[in-house]
């Protein structure tokens, strides 16, 4: 598909809209005013929308099909993947010097850049595979730094329990809890065991007999399949139908293992990062985080 444009000279906002829309769609530039996208309904719709806006703004636009022409070379994303690879390598080099919240934010930003680039990589090649492999190694390094002892995802099914069976228990997890462990402890105390007591372990092997372990390798409650520990607890105790908890789960999942971005997650990360930096005692850290999760759970839902 070819889009040939003559942009209005006196309408800077229209020119900027066209440029942003074409860049976002991944259009290649054949020459000044001539943009190219592979054929297909979605690409035709994207170019038609730009053409209509340009026409309405006083410019001219023609949308054509270039049958038989080969423009695949215009869509080579190797240079962009190369620049991303440099940023990934720099992040890995600085991994021990960055603050935890900054490291997590930077790693997610790099993943977001990769996902956006992959979405407009219409003819993927080795550069994409190499960047993906580098990003996976970075993610592994980040998890090792931020979440030592993080449980591996279990392959079994979630086991269902009654909250009455878990009242007045001692619950154990790794010390210096981050988002999944903090959210899980909040969930336990608010919805499962109001009288829960918590112990923060130096090592998973330190878990005392009789304690209910969560979010460490070999714990009773941990990652299962795609679920993080918070989501496993929701499913285990029949709490996953609560829309407020589902919203919190989306934030926790994204901050813990990535996936679909959730708008509120950036604010939650900033709050927890500040608490982590200022509060050294893990019991006090949980008390501080409890307020944040209470507010998030009680915040108005869209359409409410």
């Amino acid at each position: 598909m070819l889009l040939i444009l003559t942009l209005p000279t006196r309408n800077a906002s229209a020119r900027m809209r066209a440029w942003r829309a074409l860049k976002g769609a991944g259009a290649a530039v054949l020459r000044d005013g001539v943009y190219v996208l592979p054929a297909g309904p979605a690409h035709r719709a994207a170019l038609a929308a730009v053409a209509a806006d340009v026409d309405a703004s006083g410019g001219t636009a023609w949308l054509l099909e270039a049958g038989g022409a080969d423009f695949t070379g215009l869509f080579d994303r190797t240079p962009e993947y190369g620049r991303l690879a440099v940023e990934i390598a720099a992040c890995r080099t600085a991994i021990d010097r960055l603050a935890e919240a900054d490291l997590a934010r930077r790693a997610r930003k790099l993943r977001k850049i990769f996902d956006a680039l992959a979405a407009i990589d219409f003819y993927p090649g080795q550069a994409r595979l190499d960047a993906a492999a580098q990003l996976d190694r970075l993610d592994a390094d980040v998890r090792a730094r931020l979440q030592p002892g993080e449980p591996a995802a279990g392959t079994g099914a979630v086991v269902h329990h009654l909250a009455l069976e878990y009242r007045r228990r001692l619950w154990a997890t790794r010390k210096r809890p981050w988002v999944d462990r903090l959210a899980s402890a909040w969930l336990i105390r608010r919805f499962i065991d109001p009288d829960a007591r918590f112990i923060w372990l130096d090592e998973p092997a330190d878990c005392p007999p009789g304690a209910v372990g969560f979010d460490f390798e070999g714990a009773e409650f941990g990652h299962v399949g795609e679920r993080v520990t918070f989501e496993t607890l929701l499913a285990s105790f029949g709490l996953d139908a609560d829309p407020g908890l589902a919203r919190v789960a989306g934030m926790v999942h994204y901050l813990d293992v990535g996936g679909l971005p959730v708008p509120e997650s950036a604010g939650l990360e900033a709050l927890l990062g500040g608490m982590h930096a200022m509060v050294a005692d893990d019991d006090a850290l949980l008390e501080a985080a409890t307020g944040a999760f209470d507010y998030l759970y009680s915040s108005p839902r869209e359409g409410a």
Side-chain angles (χ1 to χ4, degrees), residues 34-59:
V34 182
Y35 301 88
V36 187
L37 275 175
H43 292 159
R44 172 181 281 277
L47 295 180
V50 174
D53 185 56
V54 169
D55 282 333
S57 302

Side-chain angles (χ1 to χ4, degrees), residues 147-153 171-175 180-181 199-208 211-223 229:
Q147 302 168 345
E150 181 74 5
W171 298 76
T173 192
R174 293 168 289 140
K175 67 179 182 181
D180 194 15
R181 278 166 283 155
I199 182 173
W200 314 101
L201 308 172
D202 288 314
E203 298 291 340
D206 298 333
C207 186
V212 183
F214 64 98
D215 202 55
F216 61 81
E217 193 65 33
E220 184 171 352
F221 298 100
H223 292 201
T229 299

Side-chain angles (χ1 to χ4, degrees), residues 183-184 186-188 190-192 230-231 233-235 237-253 293-294 296-299 301:
S184 295
W186 167 79
L187 180 75
I188 289 164
R190 283 286 185 262
F191 295 91
I192 298 169
F230 184 85
E231 295 168 310
L233 286 164
L234 288 182
F237 290 95
L239 299 168
D240 43 0
D242 185 316
L245 292 176
R247 289 173 65 247
V248 175
M251 301 175 219
V252 173
H253 185 103
F293 287 113
D294 283 343
L296 286 170
Y297 173 71
S298 302
S299 63
R301 280 56 150 183

Side-chain angles (χ1 to χ4, degrees), residues 131-216:
Q134 287 179 288
L135 203 51
D136 288 342
R137 288 194 291 272
L138 172 63
D139 287 345
D141 291 344
V142 170
R143 284 194 297 271
R145 158 81 193 283
L146 300 183
Q147 302 168 345
E150 181 74 5
T155 56
V158 171
V159 178
H160 297 282
H161 299 282
L162 295 175
L164 288 174
E165 299 171 351
Y166 286 82
R167 295 293 171 86
R168 298 180 177 84
R169 302 288 295 273
L170 177 65
W171 298 76
T173 192
R174 293 168 289 140
K175 67 179 182 181
R176 300 310 293 156
W178 184 233
V179 59
D180 194 15
R181 278 166 283 155
L182 285 170
S184 295
W186 167 79
L187 180 75
I188 289 164
R189 187 166 279 168
R190 283 286 185 262
F191 295 91
I192 298 169
D193 182 4
D195 299 312
R197 294 173 293 121
F198 292 96
I199 182 173
W200 314 101
L201 308 172
D202 288 314
E203 298 291 340
D206 298 333
C207 186
V212 183
F214 64 98
D215 202 55
F216 61 81

